[in-house]
Amino acid sequence: MALSEVGQAQLRLNAMAALELFIERRGGFATRDELVDFVLGGRRFGLIDRNRGIRNPQELDATLSVVSAADGPYADRIDPETGLLEYAFRAGDMTGGDNRKLRAALTARVPIIVFRKPSPNVYVPVFPAYVVGEDLIRGHVLIATDDALAQAYREGIRPIFEKSYVERVVAQRVHQPMFRAQVMSAYSTTCAICRLKHPELLDAAHIIADRDHNSVAHVSNGLALCKIHHAAYDQRFLGISPDYKVHVNARLLDEVDGPMLKHGIQDMHEVELTLPHREADWPSRDFLDERFAEFQA
Ligand SMILES: [Zn+2]
């Protein structure tokens, strides 16, 4: 039974607030089981459906979430001109079944959650997102991943947007969270240098600056680093050689200071990098080499 309108709005917002906290503590992603068996206010309330790519809880008149493939032949496309995600209607009747509540999300203008799935069992939420249009001929809805884009699309002022603005929104809202999730998942949420495991203190660092804002940087251009080692790497206080070893700046090695310098930095000299389980996720030796040359310069 659907709740009252206010009850529905509350449930939707509570689910999103709880997800935000959960994702932050988890390092930017969740697994399928965690989302299917999500607990909200002491009871199980799945944020994704166990068997389908759309979650239409019986308490709600409109869709709560959709799972959108981020790669592979059936990937949902993000239009680079508009920044809108094209999410295919469920098979069958476009106006009935699961699609009915998806279209209700368009009419009611309620926020939904889009889960992007960059790799198996890595779910990255983008929310609040809004269904802002539909294309019944090509068989998809259009989803905005940002309030301003949603507003603009509804008011038909889309053409005034600079392409660079759309690119930036998609990079910030979709690509960067996906990069972080992939890096955190590959490194089991562990600093590659000191093995710190608190996601709140970890960053997904780029080895080579991200030049292409139209795509997600590959995990081989990433390193999971704690805040201090990320900053130290960026400031060239330490470097990482292509043989996966940490090198501390020679001048810094001679300095005498408190425990952070001694244990946090100097003790990391010649430490072996903690690498991802899967070799395919290891940092690229070419990228490390390019960056290491800058450190040595
Ligand atoms: Zn560290």
Side-chain angles (χ1 to χ4, degrees):
M1 259 270 290
L3 300 167
S4 69
E5 206 171 309
V6 173
Q8 292 192 37
Q10 263 166 0
L11 178 60
R12 194 176 285 278
L13 291 179
N14 286 344
M16 291 190 185
L19 176 64
E20 189 167 6
L21 279 178
F22 181 83
I23 287 293
E24 215 174 275
R25 284 196 212 107
R26 192 72 177 66
F29 68 100
T31 64
R32 182 173 176 276
D33 285 348
E34 288 168 341
L35 294 172
V36 169
D37 296 321
F38 198 82
V39 174
L40 185 67
R43 69 178 188 101
R44 186 178 159 274
F45 182 74
L47 298 184
I48 60 172
D49 192 277
R50 189 177 293 281
N51 305 308
R52 291 171 298 182
I54 187 165
R55 171 83 170 113
N56 286 331
Q58 57 178 8
E59 296 93 329
L60 300 178
D61 289 327
T63 295
L64 175 66
S65 79
V66 295
V67 178
S68 160
D71 60 0
Y74 303 108
D76 296 310
R77 195 175 91 98
I78 294 181
D79 185 330
E81 297 295 323
T82 61
L84 300 179
L85 175 83
E86 297 169 354
Y87 177 80
F89 278 115
R90 311 288 301 160
D93 179 5
M94 269 189 277
T95 58
D98 282 328
N99 295 325
R100 195 176 49 81
K101 287 195 177 183
L102 188 57
R103 298 183 79 213
L106 167 65
T107 324
R109 300 187 169 193
V110 290
I112 67 163
I113 308 163
V114 175
F115 287 99
R116 295 285 271 168
K117 209 176 135 196
S119 38
N121 217 16
V122 176
Y123 290 77
V124 187
V126 181
F127 63 103
Y130 300 89
V131 183
V132 292
E134 62 182 355
D135 186 333
L136 291 174
I137 296 177
R138 289 166 64 208
H140 60 235
V141 291
L142 300 168
I143 299 177
T145 56
D146 167 84
D147 289 297
L149 279 186
Q151 184 83 8
Y153 188 85
R154 285 178 190 135
E155 287 171 14
I157 55 172
R158 174 172 51 122
I160 67 158
F161 273 142
E162 296 269 348
K163 191 156 178 267
S164 63
Y165 172 81
V166 172
E167 260 175 36
R168 201 174 67 233
V169 169
V170 174
Q172 282 172 357
R173 299 274 299 159
V174 184
H175 294 159
Q176 285 161 17
M178 279 169 66
F179 176 68
R180 173 173 170 80
Q182 281 178 283
V183 170
M184 288 305 144
S185 146
Y187 286 79
S188 309
T189 323
T190 302
C191 174
I193 294 179
C194 69
R195 301 195 298 276
L196 187 77
K197 287 183 186 60
H198 284 278
E200 300 90 336
L201 301 177
L202 295 176
D203 289 336
H206 285 92
I207 300 171
I208 302 292
D210 192 11
R211 295 183 192 114
D212 182 6
H213 298 291
N214 279 323
S215 66
V216 184
H218 191 262
V219 66
S220 65
N221 186 24
L223 290 166
L225 294 178
C226 69
K227 302 273 181 196
I228 191 85
H229 288 133
H230 185 190
Y233 189 52
D234 281 354
Q235 297 297 323
R236 302 184 198 177
F237 287 151
L238 54 82
I240 298 167
S241 51
D243 59 352
Y244 306 126
K245 252 197 191 136
V246 179
H247 302 261
V248 174
N249 175 302
R251 263 183 298 131
L252 215 61
L253 276 178
D254 292 335
E255 228 175 82
V256 179
D257 195 24
M260 180 50 94
L261 178 73
K262 182 171 180 348
H263 301 297
I265 308 277
Q266 290 167 339
D267 284 358
M268 296 302 127
H269 188 53
E270 299 196 327
V271 153
E272 301 258 350
L273 221 55
T274 300
L275 294 168
H277 298 296
R278 284 182 352 132
E279 210 173 323
D281 293 334
W282 287 12
S284 147
R285 286 178 193 268
D286 290 341
F287 293 157
L288 287 174
D289 195 34
E290 191 178 329
R291 181 75 183 262
F292 194 56
E294 285 171 27
F295 168 74
Q296 287 177 308

